[in-house]
Amino acid sequence: MAEKDAKSPNAFVETVKTVVYALLIAGVFRTLFFQPFWIPSGSMKETLLVGDFLFVNKVAYGYSYASCPSLYMPRFGIDVDAQDICGFLDGENTRIWGGEPERGDVVVFRHPVSGRDYIKRLIGKPGDTIQMRDGVLWLNGAEVPQEPDGTFVEEMAPQGPEGRRPRCMNGPVGDGGECRKARAIETLPGGRQYAVLDIASQGSDRTSIYTVPEGHYFFIGDNRDNSADSRLSQRVQGVGFVPYENLIGRADRIMFSSAGRSMLFVWTWRGDRFFKAVE
């Protein structure tokens, strides 16, 4: 009995060491290689749906202070920001082993003011001019072609942990009804194609001309009428121009997707989105 008691403290210490090592390895992996990201809103439909779970490729663009992980769990009073951990690297708008993002990439970035993680499509690079004219994107003075491609249909119901209901072109729609949005295929210079959605005519469909400053990027959501992005200034809860150092990584592939309020509800997982590439 005495021999067993003598070994117990050692066993406990070994268990604690194992847990600590596992957390350190996970922290290094998340900081340097891939960061998990859970899609909370519908701003990137249909490319990304509420409840999609993916890993963000951090190697693609190199590293900056924004590469350090943030942990925001207001329900538990947890708010650890990348600025708190790696703020000493902030301020030069540079990156270590920096890579150049490509137009059309779906990018996770740090909001320039709030510090929260956003995910949008990169449309404008430094020196580009951007304008929306009647819902159509113009890039460097040329219209970006859109080809109408039917209708995006989803059920009118609360979506994700926040329980938000989608906006509909055919609204108002009661719970359980079909919520529709006009769908088109947009083609960027170079041939990158993806689906964009349209709900109604609104202010963000008609903008002034934006000129992207050096060291910054311009982002727009694919769900064009339901996205707070670079078309809105930071003063009105938009994103504005995003500095190079605020890029976190590129979204390449969806691991799985949950249509329910939690990713733990496996019976709500969408069978057609496992390991789906992000176009």
Side-chain angles (χ1 to χ4, degrees):
M1 184 70 175
E3 183 179 351
K4 182 178 180 181
D5 290 343
K7 291 182 178 180
S8 294
N10 290 334
F12 175 75
V13 169
E14 289 302 317
T15 300
V16 171
K17 287 168 63 177
T18 300
V19 171
V20 170
Y21 291 154
L23 291 174
L24 287 173
I25 292 170
V28 171
F29 185 85
R30 177 174 175 175
T31 300
L32 296 181
F33 302 108
F34 298 96
Q35 176 176 317
F37 193 82
W38 175 264
I39 303 300
S41 74
S43 68
M44 281 296 293
K45 291 177 182 176
E46 67 181 46
T47 303
L48 298 172
L49 303 180
V50 177
D52 282 351
F53 180 84
L54 49 87
F55 282 100
V56 178
N57 180 355
K58 290 189 170 183
V59 180
Y61 308 139
Y63 306 96
S64 70
Y65 86 98
S67 301
C68 285
S70 297
L71 185 59
Y72 180 61
M73 301 175 67
R75 181 181 300 179
F76 302 102
I78 298 174
D79 188 1
V80 180
D81 189 79
Q83 184 78 35
D84 300 328
I85 303 171
C86 295
F88 65 95
L89 298 173
D90 186 13
E92 298 297 328
N93 200 23
T94 58
R95 307 182 73 85
I96 300 172
W97 302 314
E100 179 71 15
E102 297 294 329
R103 196 189 320 278
D105 285 355
V106 176
V107 179
V108 174
F109 58 89
R110 178 183 168 87
H111 190 284
V113 176
S114 71
R116 301 303 177 210
D117 292 348
Y118 275 51
I119 185 165
K120 308 288 181 186
R121 191 176 297 277
L122 193 157
I123 298 297
K125 302 174 73 172
D128 285 343
T129 60
I130 312 288
Q131 186 179 26
M132 296 296 295
R133 301 184 189 176
D134 296 323
V136 176
L137 175 65
W138 286 67
L139 176 63
N140 295 325
E143 180 179 348
V144 176
Q146 287 187 4
E147 184 69 27
D149 193 46
T151 305
F152 174 76
V153 182
E154 60 185 334
E155 180 185 358
M156 171 55 73
Q159 297 182 346
E162 298 177 6
R164 298 179 183 176
R165 286 173 167 78
R167 290 181 60 201
C168 313
M169 180 179 66
N170 58 322
V173 176
D175 280 0
E178 287 191 348
C179 177
R180 298 176 175 271
K181 299 174 179 63
R183 183 179 188 270
I185 301 298
E186 189 167 86
T187 304
L188 289 173
R192 186 76 174 268
Q193 292 186 320
Y194 47 88
V196 295
L197 305 181
D198 180 65
I199 302 170
S201 178
Q202 59 185 48
S204 58
D205 291 333
R206 297 170 297 279
T207 71
S208 57
I209 297 175
Y210 304 95
T211 300
V212 185
E214 186 65 31
H216 291 72
Y217 295 89
F218 193 97
F219 292 91
I220 304 181
D222 291 349
N223 191 1
R224 292 284 163 82
D225 294 337
N226 196 43
S227 176
D229 49 43
S230 293
R231 293 172 293 175
L232 298 175
S233 72
Q234 298 156 10
R235 295 191 301 273
V236 289
Q237 299 182 330
V239 171
F241 301 119
V242 178
Y244 180 45
E245 67 179 351
N246 282 42
L247 307 188
I248 294 173
R250 185 181 65 214
D252 290 334
R253 192 169 297 274
I254 299 162
M255 304 308 294
F256 68 90
S257 181
S258 171
R261 294 184 63 86
S262 170
M263 65 179 173
L264 300 178
F265 297 169
V266 295
W267 59 91
T268 67
W269 288 7
R270 301 177 175 106
D272 61 341
R273 297 186 73 77
F274 285 103
F275 309 113
K276 181 180 175 65
V278 177
E279 301 294 339

